Amino acid sequence: MAGSLDIVGIERLRPLLDRRRVLAAVRDALVWQSQGLVQSPLPGQLQFREPPGDCHIKFGHVAGADTFAVKIATGFYENAARGLPSNHGLVLVFDARTGAPRVLLQDEGWLTAWRTAAATALAAQVLAPATGAIGVVGTGLQASLALEWLPETLGDRPCLVWGRDAGRAVALAAAASRAGRAVVAVASLEELLERSGVVVTATPSSAPLFPAGSVRPGTHLVALGADSPGKQELPTDLFAGAAHVLVDDLAQALDHGDFGAAVRAGSVAAERAVPLGAVLSGRVRLQRARDDISIVDLTGIAAEDIAIAALFCQLLDGPA
Amino acid sequence: MAGSLDIVGIERLRPLLDRRRVLAAVRDALVWQSQGLVQSPLPGQLQFREPPGDCHIKFGHVAGADTFAVKIATGFYENAARGLPSNHGLVLVFDARTGAPRVLLQDEGWLTAWRTAAATALAAQVLAPATGAIGVVGTGLQASLALEWLPETLGDRPCLVWGRDAGRAVALAAAASRAGRAVVAVASLEELLERSGVVVTATPSSAPLFPAGSVRPGTHLVALGADSPGKQELPTDLFAGAAHVLVDDLAQALDHGDFGAAVRAGSVAAERAVPLGAVLSGRVRLQRARDDISIVDLTGIAAEDIAIAALFCQLLDGPA
């Protein structure tokens, strides 16, 4: 009586991955968000202590869309030691005219990973300096995807990676090389910051990864790790000296992003934040001077989850 | 790699329904809630305008429990005119040690309906006067279930029903009679209030259903309709004269319950609310005088969703 729920596993989603279309969908989502077209209350969060973990629930509706989506993602970081994946995720797509559930995308967190990689690549492209390497801090899935996706929007540049665990950084570089991409694991974070024009931080850190003074003038930073209260990657005083500060969503960035930490520390005014989507749409035009430091704080937004879910539902339905 | 998700349809859940066990599970949930053992942030809500509808997302974790749950329920009230069910719902149960999704209960909203019926029956039992009919205002699913479930906790009493649509009230009474239960559709709300000792309001109303003066001294009211901002069933001044005011959860009741409307109107102090679970556990003992008016404001809590989901997962696993 309620219609049937189509259940789609990751094995049906992976062959449909098309980076260009995901980039276009996530760009749309960021633009809609900046235009106030997305109903997306603050995400739900649960925190677990024994073992440590978290659950994020993002949900929303884009004005006029036929569907809405609820995305549930978990991260339990001690799973790896037990040979289990750290992240799980699924997306439920509902009919926005009847409320009936239509599709369960059992993506095991991959849709979130891909839309985050796309948002990172779009954020990197905005205000990226013309030269300098792509430097990625972190060695997890999102770091690995950043190294794959950033060349889509930035073009081919030298790629560097650094992580606290040097072995993992070397392994990540080796895996990239086997896939035909040149990635160098650098010996120190200082070296990465010195050589990179675009720096992506993709860690679960709860404290600044480096002092503000170690960031070279002319660097464009994209921070995507701070997705819950208590996480932080960038030093708050880096924002004081930044020429441009962009966010995917102001409310979320203030609630739990690096930007919010900087606002609470008095390093930057909340009014300084420019919506990434407004820059992507061309509504706001920013100019970078050679020595400007610029920052994009990504918290991950429901609009991206809705857009990538809608894209994959469309791809599942058949050739465009 | 992530383990498999067990997908369970309503046809596997319905035969397992056991009112006594559901009552016990929901009683536990209300007690845990009153003891501060439940991590349950305010529910997520989406509102839709064309057509009108809403989506509620409730999620939480009971301290020490092996699982946690996310419940998604929708209500689109114009569906009925299209021959579709107004409500949909499903519950996802996750492993609280790994974050992996374990079971999808595609209950089509029935678990929510049953746990709400159980909470209503428990709320009715607390402070119910010894005599007087069971009066139910409303003719929807929850009203129908209240007429089935209240005799479980109150014993057999005359049952009355009234709704704005007299035809639906008569049909509901006729259906109850065919099922062997005596339910009388009364001609007016005034008659229902005059004859009832326990009054349950189960409507999607956004304005008080009756004036405070029409409630007879000695009445115990259970209001369960106000589950979103903008809904209201009871007149705010009824709270001013009430001897006892109970809530399932204070934060939710203040946010969107009838109690919150009364607090905002200045009719009652927020401190007057007693947790229903504290009364069920015996931690708080309330005495009713013969002419006391008492009110239980139910908003529906994640703990109930977790408890009923855990119960059905256990029942699915085999005989106890």
Side-chain angles (χ1 to χ4, degrees):
Chain A
M1 78 195 211
S4 65
L5 181 68
D6 190 12
I7 292 160
V8 179
I10 181 65
E11 72 288 351
R12 282 174 63 196
L13 297 173
R14 206 184 288 275
L16 300 174
L17 174 60
D18 173 333
R19 282 189 206 142
R20 297 262 149 207
R21 295 180 91 155
V22 173
L23 283 165
V26 171
R27 175 190 291 266
D28 286 346
L30 288 159
V31 171
W32 297 330
Q33 184 77 14
S34 74
Q35 293 173 337
L37 297 178
V38 187
Q39 180 189 179
S40 61
L42 273 181
Q45 306 213 13
L46 293 172
Q47 309 279 344
F48 301 86
R49 290 208 192 141
E50 291 170 24
D54 51 46
C55 174
H56 294 184
I57 305 162
K58 295 190 175 175
F59 50 99
H61 180 227
V62 177
D66 287 345
T67 59
F68 69 94
V70 179
K71 193 272 293 280
I72 307 171
T74 61
F76 279 67
Y77 300 101
E78 290 180 3
N79 282 0
R82 300 167 58 187
L84 299 171
S86 297
N87 295 97
H88 291 89
L90 49 80
V91 183
L92 279 151
V93 179
F94 292 80
D95 188 319
R97 293 154 309 188
T98 65
R102 286 287 170 237
V103 185
L104 168 61
L105 300 169
Q106 270 196 276
D107 62 285
E108 297 176 18
W110 282 98
L111 290 180
T112 301
W114 294 331
R115 65 83 157 148
T116 302
T120 305
L122 293 164
Q125 182 182 28
V126 165
L127 291 173
T131 61
I134 295 169
V136 173
V137 182
T139 56
L141 173 61
Q142 221 59 59
S144 163
L145 290 177
L147 290 163
E148 271 183 64
W149 284 65
L150 263 65
E152 289 285 339
T153 57
L154 295 179
D156 283 328
R157 302 188 184 201
C159 289
L160 313 177
V161 62
W162 179 85
R164 278 183 313 173
D165 181 334
R168 286 180 61 124
V170 168
L172 201 158
S177 296
R178 283 194 298 276
R181 293 175 292 108
V183 174
V184 174
V186 294
S188 70
L189 182 51
E190 290 67 32
E191 182 184 348
L192 181 138
L193 293 171
E194 188 52 45
R195 292 172 58 187
S196 301
V198 173
V199 173
V200 173
T201 58
T203 75
S205 182
S206 55
L209 297 165
F210 41 76
S214 66
V215 175
R216 204 166 46 76
T219 302
H220 180 54
L221 296 108
V222 180
L224 58 93
D227 59 356
S228 317
K231 291 190 183 171
Q232 186 179 354
E233 297 187 289
L234 303 182
T236 58
D237 50 347
L238 188 64
F239 286 83
H244 303 290
V245 178
L246 285 72
V247 296
D248 51 4
D249 178 69
L250 181 58
Q252 288 189 190
L254 287 173
D255 184 68
H256 55 260
D258 278 295
F259 181 66
V263 170
R264 285 188 294 280
S267 299
V268 65
E271 295 70 31
R272 284 286 313 284
V274 174
L276 173 57
V279 180
L280 290 171
S281 70
R283 184 164 63 81
V284 172
R285 288 176 194 280
L286 301 179
Q287 290 282 350
R288 110 168 271 122
R290 203 192 59 170
D291 284 349
D292 281 351
I293 287 175
S294 49
I295 305 173
V296 188
D297 183 14
L298 297 179
T299 54
I301 59 176
E304 296 164 351
D305 296 315
I306 299 167
I308 195 168
L311 170 64
F312 275 82
C313 285
Q314 179 195 330
L315 295 173
L316 284 162
D317 276 348
Chain B
M1 78 192 209
S4 65
L5 180 68
D6 190 12
I7 292 161
V8 179
I10 181 65
E11 72 288 352
R12 281 175 63 196
L13 298 173
R14 205 184 288 274
L16 299 174
L17 174 60
D18 173 334
R19 284 190 203 141
R20 298 262 149 207
R21 294 180 92 156
V22 173
L23 282 164
V26 172
R27 174 190 292 266
D28 286 346
L30 287 159
V31 171
W32 296 330
Q33 184 77 15
S34 73
Q35 293 172 337
L37 296 178
V38 186
Q39 180 189 179
S40 61
L42 272 181
Q45 306 213 10
L46 293 172
Q47 308 279 343
F48 301 86
R49 289 207 194 143
E50 292 171 19
D54 51 46
C55 174
H56 293 184
I57 305 163
K58 295 191 176 177
F59 49 99
H61 181 226
V62 177
D66 287 345
T67 59
F68 67 94
V70 179
K71 191 272 294 279
I72 307 173
T74 62
F76 279 67
Y77 301 102
E78 291 181 1
N79 282 0
R82 299 166 60 188
L84 299 171
S86 296
N87 295 97
H88 291 90
L90 49 80
V91 183
L92 279 151
V93 179
F94 292 80
D95 189 318
R97 293 154 309 189
T98 67
R102 287 289 171 235
V103 184
L104 169 61
L105 300 169
Q106 270 196 277
D107 62 286
E108 298 177 17
W110 283 97
L111 290 181
T112 300
W114 294 331
R115 64 84 157 145
T116 303
T120 305
L122 294 164
Q125 181 181 31
V126 165
L127 290 173
T131 60
I134 295 170
V136 174
V137 181
T139 57
L141 173 61
Q142 221 60 58
S144 164
L145 290 177
L147 290 164
E148 271 183 63
W149 285 64
L150 264 65
E152 290 283 340
T153 56
L154 295 179
D156 283 327
R157 302 188 184 201
C159 289
L160 313 178
V161 62
W162 180 86
R164 279 183 313 172
D165 182 334
R168 285 181 60 123
V170 168
L172 202 158
S177 296
R178 283 193 299 276
R181 293 175 293 108
V183 173
V184 174
V186 293
S188 71
L189 182 50
E190 290 67 34
E191 182 183 347
L192 182 139
L193 293 171
E194 187 53 42
R195 293 172 57 186
S196 301
V198 173
V199 172
V200 173
T201 58
T203 75
S205 183
S206 55
L209 296 165
F210 41 75
S214 66
V215 175
R216 204 166 48 75
T219 302
H220 180 55
L221 295 109
V222 180
L224 57 93
D227 59 356
S228 314
K231 290 189 183 172
Q232 187 181 352
E233 296 187 291
L234 302 183
T236 58
D237 51 347
L238 188 64
F239 286 83
H244 304 290
V245 177
L246 285 72
V247 296
D248 51 5
D249 179 68
L250 181 59
Q252 290 188 191
L254 287 173
D255 184 67
H256 56 261
D258 277 295
F259 181 66
V263 169
R264 286 189 293 280
S267 299
V268 65
E271 296 70 31
R272 285 284 312 285
V274 174
L276 173 57
V279 180
L280 290 171
S281 71
R283 184 164 64 80
V284 173
R285 288 178 194 278
L286 301 178
Q287 291 282 350
R288 114 170 266 121
R290 202 191 59 170
D291 284 348
D292 281 352
I293 287 175
S294 50
I295 304 172
V296 188
D297 183 13
L298 298 178
T299 54
I301 59 176
E304 296 163 351
D305 297 316
I306 301 167
I308 195 168
L311 170 64
F312 276 82
C313 286
Q314 178 194 330
L315 295 173
L316 284 162
D317 276 348

